[in-house]
Amino acid sequence: MSKSLWTPFISSVLIVGSAGSYYLLSDYNRLETQDAVIAAAPFEQLSISEISDKRISLLQDKLYDDKQNAKLWFQLGNAYMYNGEYDNAILVFDYSIRLTANPTAIHYSAKASALYYASGQHLTAEVQALLDQALALEPHNQTALMMLASNEFMNVRYQQAIDLWVQLLDSDQQGLDRVSIINSINQAKQFIK
């Protein structure tokens, strides 16, 4: 890839990755602990990492009192993901899945995301199996499709990435960052030419 193509490539990967991460972190009932963190100190007095650390600490405290709460385990997994602590996220997503009577696509795609980032953004067999489970339950699962599209793009399979992004756009999901996806499609099309 020529030097002049690196900038759009990197920006596209960042757009795709951040859109998928945003969906994962914003899904499954927004963190109810957010209000507690805000009440603890105004945002302008806390750095992003301090807010994230407070969220993790608050969730851990809640789990100390309610160890069987699958929803809290899932929220802690999301907080670890946000903090870049992928191994911890994998562990707690496992607890959430085990404690949930009928795990959803969101559970499997969350664990797949943690494994994907823990393995240096490689689509391992285990990650693929989790994504397959997620898509079997929810064929238009945004996190799973975004991760697969990003992987296709990074592996220079631009048409496959475009097809996955189009599948997302056609799904008419709420909260979908259509502008970022369309920009990613347009960048991929430039590489095909």
Side-chain angles (χ1 to χ4, degrees), residues 76-152:
L76 181 60
N78 277 332
Y80 280 133
M81 284 289 292
Y82 184 79
N83 222 26
E85 298 178 43
Y86 306 120
D87 291 332
N88 289 337
I90 294 166
L91 180 67
V92 297
F93 283 143
D94 270 337
Y95 283 126
S96 179
I97 290 170
R98 277 188 259 151
L99 293 170
T100 302
N102 296 308
T104 66
I106 295 166
H107 288 95
Y108 295 120
S109 62
K111 183 177 176 190
S113 295
L115 282 166
Y116 179 77
Y117 287 107
S119 67
Q121 295 184 6
H122 295 289
L123 195 65
T124 64
E126 187 177 7
V127 171
Q128 184 65 57
L130 288 164
L131 293 175
D132 291 342
Q133 280 182 288
L135 292 170
L137 292 170
E138 184 186 327
H140 297 292
N141 180 272
Q142 186 175 349
T143 302
L145 291 175
M146 289 296 283
M147 188 181 311
L148 289 170
S150 177
N151 185 68
E152 295 294 346

Side-chain angles (χ1 to χ4, degrees), residues 24-95:
L24 174 65
L25 293 173
S26 66
D27 202 25
Y28 199 79
N29 298 331
R30 305 242 180 203
L31 291 176
E32 60 194 16
T33 59
Q34 210 167 28
D35 292 337
V37 171
I38 293 168
F43 272 116
E44 58 270 2
Q45 294 177 355
L46 295 175
S47 69
I48 298 288
S49 65
E50 288 172 324
I51 292 169
S52 183
D53 291 343
K54 280 186 170 288
R55 179 183 298 155
I56 289 170
S57 179
L58 184 61
L59 286 165
Q60 288 171 337
D61 289 346
K62 285 185 174 189
L63 279 165
Y64 184 78
D65 295 330
D66 189 5
K67 292 173 185 63
Q68 301 300 307
N69 189 324
K71 186 176 177 180
L72 287 176
W73 283 109
F74 189 87
Q75 291 174 350
L76 181 60
N78 277 332
Y80 280 133
M81 284 289 292
Y82 184 79
N83 222 26
E85 298 178 43
Y86 306 120
D87 291 332
N88 289 337
I90 294 166
L91 180 67
V92 297
F93 283 143
D94 270 337
Y95 283 126

